[in-house]
Amino acid sequence: MPTTNLMTPFGTDIDLAEGAMNDPDRHLIRRPSDMKGYYQDEDALQKLIDDGDAVHYEVFEKDVPEKYGHVLFCISSLQPGRVGDECFMTKGHYHTILETAEVYLCLRGTGFMAMKSPDGRSVLEPMTRNRLVYVPPCWAHRSINTGDEPLVSFCAYQGDAGHNYGDIAEQGFPQRVFIRDGKTVIQ
Ligand code: F6R
Ligand code: ZN
C-alpha cells in the first residue's frame, strides 16, 4: 500500500432535487454548433445555431484523477427541445477503454438512454427520476430528452475510461427519437 502521494479525501454537495452539483471543478458546455452531423434535420440545427447557439447540454465534474482505481463522477444536464422534431440528445460515445461500464442515476426529467453494442445490438432504456441505468462494458451511450424540462443524471465510471466519439458522428445510433403530434416516435 503506497503511503506517499495519497490523494486527500473530499466531499461535495449535490442537490438531488434539482440535479445540480454545487461546487464543480470543471464545467463542459456543448452547443448546437458542436452537434453538426448528429441530427437528421441539418437546416433545423443551423437555425438553432443562428438563433443564438444556446447551451444544449452541460457536464459538471469534480477534479478526480483520470486514472485506473479512481471513480470519475459528474452531473450531466441535457436541455429540453427538438431539432426539427428530433429530441435533443448528447453526442454519445464509447469509452476509450472499451470494457468499462458506467452508471447513470436519473435525477430529473424524462427520456431515454440509447445504447448500442459492437455486435450490432441496440437498447433504449427509459430514464426518469430515480431510475438507474447500467451501461455495461463496451456499449456506446447517449442521453435523449423527450420531456419539457432538463434531463439530469448523476454518472459514475472508471477513472481512466476516456471518451471515444469515433464512429458515432458518422454512423449515429440505430434508433432516433422524435416527438410528433405530441407522441414519442422511435425510428
Ligand atoms: C461520461 C458520460 C457522461 C457524458 C455526458 C456528455 O462517460 O457518459 O458524463 O460524457 O453526458 O455526453 P457526451 O460525452 O456524449 O457528449
Ligand atoms: Zn460514458
Side-chain angles (χ1 to χ4, degrees):
M1 173 65 70
T3 53
T4 55
N5 299 321
L6 280 178
M7 185 178 169
T8 305
F10 68 90
T12 190
D13 295 313
I14 293 179
D15 182 335
L16 293 178
E18 274 301 306
M21 189 181 284
N22 292 337
D23 185 24
D25 294 320
R26 286 194 290 264
H27 180 197
L28 171 96
I29 298 180
R30 295 228 201 266
R31 299 177 185 279
S33 53
D34 299 310
M35 299 299 292
K36 286 185 182 167
Y38 285 87
Y39 289 100
Q40 206 165 63
D41 187 338
E42 290 176 16
D43 293 341
L45 182 69
Q46 189 58 49
K47 187 162 184 333
L48 284 181
I49 297 169
D50 296 342
D51 287 351
D53 208 19
V55 171
H56 207 58
Y57 61 92
E58 297 164 277
V59 182
F60 302 89
E61 292 177 326
K62 290 303 287 181
D63 200 6
V64 171
E66 295 182 15
K67 288 184 180 163
Y68 178 77
H70 286 273
V71 177
L72 279 179
F73 61 92
C74 65
I75 294 283
S76 170
S77 177
L78 170 62
Q79 290 300 306
R82 323 277 173 251
V83 177
D85 53 9
E86 187 172 2
C87 296
F88 280 12
M89 60 191 182
T90 60
K91 289 184 173 189
H93 58 265
Y94 291 96
H95 290 157
T96 308
I97 299 181
L98 190 60
E99 293 186 340
T100 54
E102 182 158 355
V103 288
Y104 272 74
L105 175 59
C106 183
L107 303 176
R108 188 180 166 198
T110 316
F112 293 102
M113 178 62 65
M115 291 169 277
K116 67 168 184 171
S117 64
D119 65 0
R121 284 181 288 157
S122 172
V123 172
L124 279 184
E125 188 64 38
M127 292 185 84
T128 186
R129 181 170 166 75
N130 295 345
R131 187 166 167 82
L132 186 144
V133 175
Y134 184 68
V135 181
C138 303
W139 287 71
H141 41 287
R142 152 185 290 171
S143 310
I144 301 172
N145 189 345
T146 57
D148 299 323
E149 62 174 324
L151 178 64
V152 184
S153 302
F154 172 85
C155 323
Y157 55 105
Q158 185 174 307
D160 58 349
H163 294 80
N164 174 10
Y165 295 90
D167 75 342
I168 299 190
E170 300 118 43
Q171 297 180 17
F173 279 62
Q175 290 161 308
R176 292 180 179 273
V177 179
F178 304 87
I179 303 290
R180 290 182 184 141
D181 299 327
K183 294 202 178 85
T184 302
V185 175
I186 296 167
Q187 275 182 344

